[in-house]
Amino acid sequence: RRAVQLAPQDGSFHNQLGVILYQVGELEESEAAFRRARGIQPDSVEIVLNLVELYRAHERYEEATEEIKQALALDANRADVLVTFGALSLEVGDLEATELALRHLDALQPGHPEAEVLRECLADATNAQG
């Protein structure tokens, strides 16, 4: 909190504060810190992904979906963005979007370890539907 007070225009401090607040269960304050960070650094994929994770963890899928769209717009060629997009898509039941994320991830980074986990979860979801 002191770092934010000393450098209120440094988005990375607000983001880090958001991470710490999230870890100790201060969810409203965490979200506010992430939003302040994003206001200062709107092009930071890390900040957007932190918001996505906060929303996913609390099943706020509509908000998470809006944020992941922003992350994809900022950089659709980052493995962490694609993994998060695939996982969120799976959670909301959009298996086609999950497959799309996996194809893109495979093209970008073949053998990515999180891709295999996502692929297994997708197979389980597909089998459960069938």
Side-chain angles (χ1 to χ4, degrees):
R1 293 177 198 263
R2 182 80 173 127
V4 168
Q5 290 173 344
L6 293 173
Q9 291 306 313
D10 188 327
S12 64
F13 288 148
H14 289 279
N15 185 54
Q16 189 58 42
L17 178 60
V19 169
I20 292 165
L21 290 168
Y22 181 79
Q23 290 172 341
V24 298
E26 298 291 333
L27 303 178
E28 287 181 26
E29 287 185 54
S30 174
E31 181 179 359
F34 290 142
R35 293 216 165 273
R36 282 190 299 275
R38 187 153 179 229
I40 297 166
Q41 293 179 293
D43 295 337
S44 171
V45 174
E46 290 80 12
I47 295 167
V48 176
L49 288 178
N50 284 337
L51 277 166
V52 171
E53 291 306 319
L54 182 139
Y55 294 144
R56 281 180 60 209
H58 294 84
E59 299 180 359
R60 293 168 58 183
Y61 294 121
E62 190 171 313
E63 292 159 297
T65 299
E66 289 306 309
E67 295 297 336
I68 198 61
K69 288 177 186 176
Q70 293 299 314
L72 287 164
L74 289 170
D75 192 347
N77 291 316
R78 279 182 54 153
D80 54 351
V81 171
L82 293 169
V83 168
T84 302
F85 172 57
L88 174 62
S89 298
L90 190 61
E91 288 170 9
V92 298
D94 188 346
L95 304 185
E96 288 180 27
T98 305
E99 289 174 2
L100 176 67
L102 276 169
R103 281 195 303 275
H104 196 94
L105 184 59
D106 287 340
L108 184 68
Q109 284 189 359
H112 190 281
E114 291 182 69
E116 196 54 42
V117 173
L118 194 55
R119 190 171 283 104
E120 290 172 15
C121 292
L122 177 61
D124 291 345
T126 302
N127 290 337
Q129 277 189 344

